[in-house]
Amino acid sequence: MLLLCRALRRICAAGRPPSRSLMELRELVPALNDFASLSLAESWDNVGLLVEPSPPHAVRTLLLTNDLTEQVMEEAVQKNADLVLSYHPPIFAPLKRVTWRTWKERLVVRALEHRIGIYSPHTAYDAVPHGVNNWLSKGLGACTSVPLHPSTAPSHPTEGTHRVEFCADTAENLETVLSKISDIPETFCLTTLPVRVDGEEQTRVSLNCSQKALLEVVALLSQNSLLYRKTEIILLQKPLLPHTGMGRLCTLSEPASLSDIIERIKSHLKLPHIRLAMGTGKTLDSPVKKAALCAGSGSSVLKGMEADLYLTGEMSHHDVLDAVANGISVILCEHSNTERGFLSELCDMLTVHLQNKINIILSEKDKDPLQVV
């Protein structure tokens, strides 16, 4: 009966049969993950598909919101959304029960009752080059930017996390050692190379291994003091991903006064006001050449960065004091005000990325909970 009512509501609301354009959730979620890899999210974050109706689940309408409140969930029901993409994860701390008692539990209940999935990208969208921080940087005017905390690739370019190298100046027992190394699980790329060291013919041995295998390799080599003394252990670094990471350090093409920057940001974020902490020795006419920014809550990301200006949604009182004492002005716009405007760009990008297969709409009920009175 519930599914029938939903279908009838969909037909009545549109004045015509529902669009044939759709994607199965099992197809849509990987496509969303391709748009911004969840491996880029911070380790503490809770990202991806958080609520899944029983399959199969067809998605015709995707609702974008910054925060999934009960008001936004009711909007999703009324607009017949099949999936809500909520930038902030509505489920963060583990739920021990799903009842009607708390608002976050009620979100899950309502979502499942109306067969609405919930997906959250959060800090994965912060990190990607085409994400929230890139959008926020446009409020400064023409500039170039680099991540404050660059992201690394999810895996090493070669197998293993460590490289072990050693030289043997005698073939005696070397074959036995190499055979034993080969038998250790998670050892890779074992190679030997004849070399001349200090005029003597030697064999250079190189191998990659995991952290677990490293302990066994070292234990084996330590049984031969001569080999062990000549052993080098190299930690393999994951490569940095270009233009990807948390926060942005922006260098303006032309310096601008602090007052001009304020007006640009207010215009970009469509805000009548912002909060300003003036850096020591600075005025509204002081030039801004470099700005460090972080959408949302920027204290941990911006801390210690050298810039003329910090731009973020919120910072702790004492972190603001530290910045001001160091001559850095701080602009605070409230947490979600530095994120929500990105959704309009996201709507356009996802429409292209998903090849216009589904309807993508923006929430009209989503808003920052704080207001000036």
Side-chain angles (χ1 to χ4, degrees):
M1 178 63 73
L2 179 61
L3 295 179
L4 176 61
C5 290
R6 256 199 108 196
L8 290 173
R9 255 201 335 270
R10 190 188 297 275
I11 294 172
C12 293
R16 55 181 173 77
S19 169
R20 294 180 181 177
S21 179
L22 60 85
M23 292 180 73
E24 287 294 327
L25 187 63
R26 68 175 186 273
E27 172 191 10
L28 177 55
V29 169
L32 292 175
N33 293 347
D34 287 341
F35 179 78
S37 173
L38 299 181
S39 66
L40 298 175
E42 295 289 272
S43 59
W44 47 261
D45 210 351
N46 188 32
V47 295
L49 185 62
L50 305 184
V51 174
E52 178 182 11
S54 59
H57 183 60
V59 177
R60 292 180 174 84
T61 299
L62 169 63
L63 176 70
L64 306 182
T65 185
N66 200 76
D67 293 294
L68 182 53
T69 61
E70 289 189 276
Q71 291 75 23
V72 173
M73 176 56 75
E74 181 59 31
E75 179 186 18
V77 172
Q78 294 301 320
K79 293 183 176 179
N80 301 301
D82 305 291
L83 179 68
V84 173
L85 188 153
S86 176
Y87 168 73
H88 286 138
I91 304 172
F92 200 83
L95 296 176
K96 293 185 176 180
R97 57 185 60 81
V98 179
T99 69
W100 203 246
R101 187 174 181 181
T102 68
W103 73 275
K104 291 197 173 184
E105 291 175 66
R106 289 194 293 272
L107 288 179
V108 177
V109 172
R110 292 281 280 166
L112 292 176
E113 282 180 341
H114 292 273
R115 293 189 58 76
I116 299 173
I118 301 174
Y119 180 96
S120 177
H122 201 200
T123 52
Y125 276 12
D126 292 347
V128 291
H130 50 283
V132 181
N133 283 309
N134 180 68
W135 167 81
L136 183 58
S137 71
K138 295 177 182 179
L140 298 170
C143 64
T144 58
S145 66
V146 295
L148 293 173
H149 302 277
S151 297
T152 57
S155 59
H156 293 83
T158 59
E159 292 182 293
T161 58
H162 293 76
R163 176 170 296 144
V164 179
E165 297 182 348
F166 61 90
C167 277
D169 54 11
T170 175
E172 185 180 356
N173 297 327
L174 181 58
E175 290 301 322
T176 301
V177 171
L178 295 180
S179 177
K180 290 181 178 179
I181 290 176
S182 298
D183 290 338
I184 297 175
E186 300 180 19
T187 57
F188 318 97
C189 308
L190 178 61
T191 61
T192 59
L193 181 69
V195 296
R196 181 176 290 274
V197 180
D198 296 331
E200 294 184 1
E201 295 292 337
Q202 297 190 6
T203 300
R204 183 75 173 175
V205 180
S206 175
L207 65 117
N208 290 357
C209 64
S210 67
Q211 176 76 45
K212 179 181 177 181
L214 177 64
L215 300 177
E216 296 185 54
V217 172
V218 170
L220 175 63
L221 295 178
S222 65
Q223 296 173 14
N224 186 315
S225 59
L226 189 58
L227 292 180
Y228 187 66
R229 285 199 302 270
K230 297 180 179 180
T231 297
E232 295 180 62
I233 299 174
I234 303 166
L235 176 63
L236 299 178
Q237 300 292 334
K238 295 178 181 179
L240 297 179
L241 297 175
H243 315 297
T244 305
M246 297 301 162
R248 295 292 185 271
L249 179 62
C250 304
T251 302
L252 277 67
S253 300
E254 295 290 338
S257 69
L258 180 58
S259 59
D260 283 346
I261 293 294
I262 290 171
E263 293 307 312
R264 292 177 188 179
I265 292 170
K266 288 163 66 175
S267 174
H268 184 59
L269 301 185
K270 297 179 173 60
L271 295 175
H273 65 273
I274 51 90
R275 290 191 288 163
L276 171 67
M278 197 91 70
T280 299
K282 302 298 175 64
T283 70
L284 288 175
D285 294 323
S286 295
V288 175
K289 179 65 175 176
K290 287 185 180 292
L293 63 83
C294 177
S297 180
S299 287
S300 61
V301 175
L302 300 176
K303 195 174 185 66
M305 295 297 169
E306 294 185 6
D308 303 308
L309 173 70
Y310 285 172
L311 168 62
T312 187
E314 60 181 339
M315 284 177 67
S316 75
H317 173 76
H318 295 286
D319 286 332
V320 172
L321 291 180
D322 286 343
V324 167
N326 289 319
I328 302 171
S329 298
V330 178
I331 291 178
L332 304 180
C333 307
E334 306 308 345
H335 190 115
S336 68
N337 288 336
T338 57
E339 303 161 337
R340 185 170 289 102
F342 169 70
L343 296 180
S344 294
E345 281 195 5
L346 176 65
C347 183
D348 294 337
M349 288 189 288
L350 284 181
T351 297
V352 173
H353 182 71
L354 300 176
Q355 301 177 348
N356 208 27
K357 291 181 179 178
I358 61 174
N359 302 316
I360 305 177
I361 58 177
L362 294 175
S363 171
E364 298 176 13
K365 298 297 183 180
D366 179 40
K367 62 181 181 179
D368 193 274
L370 296 173
Q371 56 182 311
V372 176
V373 296

